Amino acid sequence: MDASVFHILKKHWGYDSFRHPQDAIIESVLQGNDVLALMPTGGGKSITFQVPALVNEGICLVVSPLIALISDQVENLKNRGIRAISLAGSMVQDDLERLLNNAVLGDYKFLYLSPERLQQETVRYFIKLMKINLIAIDEAHCVSHWGKDFRPAYLECKWLKENFSQVPILALTASATPNVQQDILQQLGIPKAEIIATSLKRPNIAYITHKTDNKWLQLERVLKKNTGTSIVYIRSRNGTVRMAEYLQDIGISATFFHGGLSSEEKNKKLSMWLMDDVQVMVATNAFGMGIDKPDVRTVIHWEIPPTLEDYFQEAGRAGRDGQKSLALLLFNDLDIETTKKQFISNLVTSEDLKLLYVKLNSYFLIAYGEGVGITRSFQLADFCKKYNLQIQKTYNGLQLLDRLSVISLSQNFQKKATIFFVASNYEIIQYLQHKQMFKDIVFYLLRNYPGIHTQAISVRIEKIANKIHKDTENIRQQLSVLQEDGIITYQDDTSDIEITFNMPREDNRTIAFVAKNIKEYNQTKINLQKSVFEYIINNGECKSVQLLRYFGEKDTATCGICSVCKTQNNQKSIDYKQVEEQIIKILHQGSRNLNDLLLLLPFEEKEIQKVLFSMLDMNKIRFNDYNQYALRQ
């Protein structure tokens, strides 16, 4: 590989060499080849397109569906002295054209955009004027009808190959089944692309599926025996709070993380966990993107995950330093039954989507034929209460509308201000003559929010602060004074959902347009969920082998450390006399109940119970008046 490649790597990232298979991917791209790269999360995917893009003259186009990840990558590039730009989020036409024109003139090395942006004629017009040296398609599994996150807007990425046939395309994903891999190549128009993949095998991770009637006790056992950094994944936001409080009550330091927290709260809790101030992060799946803590020793799934892709990615956050780690999935018969029922009841049909879409437009007073580009924030619980909708199914519907590009969905907690100018223009001018310190904020609001004189407008405090170079607290103070002086009405509003309407309101016609994709999407979800249940109940084959085969790796050796391998090994080597000796040693110190013994003994629950039953039969131990195990005198 040319020396300039390593010079760029050293200059901007401080590394002397690449990780495998980064070097193979970069070399192939620099040779002008189309490439499908499969690399696990945390494997350094971004470097594989960022380095070659810096080697060659021109700009790299990066398509990604994850707005938060786009923002992180653009910010990271800027911090490294590399000029990058993002078209993510809502943007007025003038700003859009200005940024695109700057990209055309060569001011930037990277242009990040969503697949929905790529559908816009204005964006396509400017892209055709650019000197593009590389096209990177991140989260490429989204283009596949068989992938877990199919997004029809990704199908438009084929336009890039049709218009830039000589520019190499690098499609990236963390994992994809063989069917999904081939579908990616066809949908992107790169059927002859080189497929470069690193093995997904993680020999240091013990994949454990543990069936138990007492999940809380097992959780306590695992976290007290494995005291290193841990993550517990749970689905509901309230559940993260309750579990973190429970762990603290039993002496395990913990905090929680979910999408309903403010950025400030998220950063605070993340810092506590990264700095090892707490052992456990209890989180929804909102936690993980961009998190690369190498010494996570334990990842626990409290509930059955929706797909093996989700499970494998989240479990893979354990042991990135190569040290022995644990990925534990706790379940019982009720979990399986409940998950199946909830899964079916929460599948979103075309009729469900039609109703949700109409209610969204009614809620925000969107007129028929209008709505394109309008962004609105709201509390999901309030919306569901108003229309008597079930929260989880409504949320699933919003996600589906997002995937189908009818709307763009953001799940981040936000605090916005609603502002309405009640003073006339003459009164405002008179006011500012005496209080010039408010000129910047007043003029900014009047210039950028037409109609703020006739209706209350939602504005983002952080955006205003950034534009007029003041801190957010100062902005809030100024708005409060302006309200006290009778110039505006001002109210802070909180929201946990933000949507942007991507299509004009046409009610049934809008949903009918994407109805075919809804059926395919639901069938794919059913198949993916079925694979999860098959993995959980298959206790006759190594868990690692099962996972790797699902992702297309065959002829892999058993891991020797998963729940299946351990059971098979223990059947041959378990020393029940040793278990009995340790039980006797503990009971010499005093009577104990079953939970105490399970926490204190380093053996599996069924092994301990088997020995206890044997000791009871042989009159070596007894139950006392408090239903505790005690030694016979």
Side-chain angles (χ1 to χ4, degrees):
M1 203 180 301
D2 192 274
S4 61
V5 177
F6 293 99
H7 172 74
I8 287 170
L9 180 68
K10 183 68 174 179
K11 176 183 177 182
H12 294 291
W13 283 271
Y15 301 137
D16 294 312
S17 60
F18 295 101
R19 280 189 265 175
H20 180 75
Q22 289 175 330
D23 48 359
I25 295 168
I26 291 170
E27 189 166 8
S28 187
V29 167
L30 289 174
Q31 290 172 358
N33 299 324
D34 296 322
V35 176
L36 170 59
L38 291 92
M39 298 177 65
T41 302
K45 287 188 294 180
S46 58
I47 280 182
T48 62
F49 63 82
Q50 290 171 348
V51 169
L54 291 173
V55 170
N56 294 323
E57 184 182 353
I59 189 170
C60 175
L61 197 67
V62 186
V63 180
S64 173
L66 304 173
I67 293 176
L69 191 57
I70 286 176
S71 300
D72 286 345
Q73 288 201 10
V74 169
E75 194 62 32
N76 286 336
L77 286 168
K78 289 178 179 178
N79 291 337
R80 299 180 192 279
I82 301 168
R83 292 182 62 78
I85 191 173
S86 162
L87 302 183
S90 57
M91 193 178 297
V92 298
Q93 187 69 16
D94 288 348
D95 286 344
L96 177 65
E97 293 184 7
R98 176 178 55 80
L99 293 174
L100 286 166
N101 192 53
N102 287 341
V104 170
L105 294 175
D107 286 350
Y108 296 93
K109 287 297 295 180
F110 294 90
L111 172 62
Y112 283 76
L113 73 164
S114 67
E116 286 77 17
R117 280 282 186 209
L118 189 60
Q119 295 177 298
Q120 298 177 341
E121 287 303 319
T122 299
V123 175
R124 291 187 172 190
Y125 169 78
F126 278 97
I127 286 176
K128 286 181 179 180
L129 301 177
M130 297 177 194
K131 185 174 182 178
I132 297 177
N133 63 23
L134 177 62
I135 297 167
I137 311 292
D138 203 8
E139 307 296 332
H141 60 273
C142 292
V143 77
S144 172
H145 291 271
W146 316 117
K148 73 181 182 72
D149 292 321
F150 173 58
R151 295 171 71 99
Y154 256 71
L155 297 174
E156 296 300 318
C157 291
K158 195 170 187 177
W159 176 87
L160 292 168
K161 196 60 183 178
E162 292 169 351
N163 286 269
F164 299 92
S165 59
Q166 301 306 308
V167 177
I169 286 183
L170 172 56
L172 300 134
T173 184
S175 58
T177 64
N179 283 344
V180 170
Q181 292 176 32
Q182 292 305 312
D183 201 25
I184 289 171
L185 301 186
Q186 293 301 319
Q187 300 298 345
L188 293 179
I190 53 172
K192 297 182 179 180
E194 182 179 4
I195 299 177
I196 300 177
T198 181
S199 174
L200 297 175
K201 189 171 185 178
R202 299 288 300 280
N204 63 310
I205 297 181
Y207 296 102
I208 307 293
T209 56
H210 185 76
K211 184 177 180 181
T212 175
D213 292 327
N214 194 335
K215 290 168 67 175
W216 292 100
L217 174 64
Q218 290 302 320
L219 180 72
E220 183 179 355
R221 284 190 77 195
V222 170
L223 293 176
K224 284 187 174 178
K225 289 183 178 181
N226 302 274
T227 57
T229 301
S230 304
I231 306 172
V232 180
Y233 279 108
I234 189 168
R235 292 210 184 165
S236 75
R237 293 178 177 181
N238 289 337
T240 65
V241 179
R242 290 195 299 269
M243 182 175 285
E245 290 174 347
Y246 166 78
L247 292 175
Q248 290 166 355
D249 288 344
I250 61 173
I252 299 172
S253 60
T255 188
F256 60 91
F257 189 105
H258 58 69
L261 300 174
S262 66
S263 296
E264 183 179 354
E265 289 174 307
K266 285 179 181 177
N267 290 335
K268 180 181 178 181
K269 292 177 180 297
L270 177 58
S271 295
M272 291 169 62
W273 184 72
L274 290 174
M275 298 298 292
D276 296 324
D277 292 333
V278 294
Q279 175 189 348
V280 184
M281 177 66 81
V282 185
T284 63
N285 61 4
F287 182 76
M289 188 178 65
I291 306 303
D292 192 18
K293 186 169 169 55
D295 61 343
V296 177
R297 295 277 70 87
T298 307
V299 173
I300 298 174
H301 281 81
W302 183 253
E303 290 153 327
I304 296 174
T307 71
L308 283 179
E309 284 87 348
D310 289 320
Y311 171 71
F312 192 69
Q313 184 177 58
E314 291 161 0
R317 294 190 173 113
R320 289 185 179 171
D321 56 3
Q323 300 301 308
K324 185 178 178 181
S325 302
L326 173 69
L328 172 66
L329 194 162
L330 292 170
F331 73 100
N332 52 43
D333 289 334
L334 181 60
D335 286 332
I336 292 178
E337 182 181 341
T338 302
T339 301
K340 287 180 177 179
K341 286 182 179 178
Q342 288 179 343
F343 176 77
I344 296 300
S345 66
N346 287 324
L347 279 178
V348 181
T349 66
S350 296
E351 292 305 314
D352 294 327
L353 220 54
K354 286 177 184 178
L355 175 64
L356 173 58
Y357 183 67
V358 168
K359 297 303 183 186
L360 282 173
N361 283 284
S362 300
Y363 192 70
F364 295 115
L365 304 178
I366 306 295
Y368 198 84
E370 298 182 1
V372 178
I374 292 177
T375 298
R376 293 289 184 265
S377 299
F378 62 107
Q379 279 279 357
L380 180 60
D382 293 344
F383 173 78
C384 291
K385 184 177 180 181
K386 179 178 176 68
Y387 295 111
N388 195 29
L389 299 173
Q390 198 267 333
I391 290 180
Q392 185 60 53
K393 193 165 189 175
T394 301
Y395 178 67
N396 291 348
L398 290 171
Q399 285 188 310
L400 184 50
L401 286 173
D402 175 62
R403 298 252 167 84
L404 298 172
S405 302
V406 176
I407 65 170
S408 293
L409 171 68
S410 172
Q411 303 158 53
N412 291 329
F413 173 94
Q414 293 174 344
K415 192 163 188 175
K416 285 192 170 185
T418 303
I419 300 173
F420 174 39
F421 273 82
V422 293
S424 66
N425 286 335
Y426 175 78
E427 290 170 329
I428 293 171
I429 292 171
Q430 293 294 313
Y431 177 81
L432 293 178
Q433 286 179 350
H434 299 286
K435 296 193 175 182
Q436 295 192 10
M437 74 285 292
F438 297 109
K439 286 174 65 174
D440 288 345
I441 189 171
V442 169
F443 287 156
Y444 176 83
L445 291 170
L446 292 174
R447 276 198 312 268
N448 290 278
Y449 297 96
I452 202 167
H453 263 304
T454 58
Q455 62 177 328
I457 300 290
S458 290
V459 301
R460 195 169 295 168
I461 298 293
E462 291 79 3
K463 182 178 180 180
I464 298 173
N466 183 55
K467 290 293 184 181
I468 64 176
H469 309 295
K470 296 183 184 297
D471 61 60
T472 55
E473 190 55 40
N474 183 270
I475 295 297
R476 289 195 171 93
Q477 290 173 0
Q478 289 197 5
L479 290 172
S480 296
V481 174
L482 287 169
Q483 175 168 254
E484 291 170 6
D485 291 346
I487 303 300
I488 64 171
T489 59
Y490 159 63
Q491 181 178 347
D492 264 348
D493 294 323
T494 57
S495 64
D496 58 3
I497 295 286
E498 179 181 90
I499 62 171
T500 300
F501 291 87
N502 296 327
M503 297 181 179
R505 178 181 181 179
E506 293 183 314
D507 292 350
N508 288 353
R509 284 187 62 189
T510 301
I511 304 305
F513 178 71
V514 295
K516 177 176 178 290
N517 290 321
I518 296 172
K519 292 179 181 178
E520 288 186 358
Y521 176 81
N522 282 339
Q523 187 57 53
T524 298
K525 286 190 70 175
I526 291 170
N527 294 338
L528 292 171
Q529 182 76 87
K530 183 180 177 182
S531 296
V532 176
F533 291 128
E534 290 173 350
Y535 168 77
I536 290 173
I537 65 175
N538 183 351
N539 291 316
E541 185 179 25
C542 169
K543 292 297 180 182
S544 178
V545 169
Q546 290 182 53
L547 289 168
L548 293 172
R549 184 176 62 244
Y550 178 80
F551 291 108
E553 293 189 36
K554 300 176 181 178
D555 302 322
T556 54
T558 56
C559 69
I561 57 174
C562 71
S563 49
V564 174
C565 291
K566 282 179 66 178
T567 298
Q568 293 173 349
N569 292 337
N570 286 343
Q571 287 174 351
K572 303 172 186 175
S573 62
I574 185 68
D575 184 349
Y576 289 106
K577 184 172 180 57
Q578 183 185 14
V579 179
E580 181 178 320
E581 287 174 353
Q582 291 205 32
I583 291 174
I584 292 172
K585 184 177 180 181
I586 292 171
L587 295 183
H588 266 304
Q589 299 169 11
S591 302
R592 298 282 186 171
N593 60 34
L594 176 60
N595 286 358
D596 291 335
L597 291 171
L598 292 177
L599 286 170
L600 291 168
L601 291 164
F603 306 105
E604 295 296 323
E605 179 178 353
K606 59 185 178 181
E607 296 162 358
I608 296 170
Q609 291 204 3
K610 183 175 181 178
V611 174
L612 287 171
F613 290 146
S614 174
M615 294 175 73
L616 284 168
D617 286 341
M618 298 174 67
N619 287 323
K620 292 182 178 181
I621 58 174
R622 64 182 176 85
F623 283 115
N624 64 16
D625 293 339
Y626 302 99
N627 204 32
Q628 296 173 316
Y629 290 100
L631 292 173
R632 290 275 182 189
Q633 298 300 323

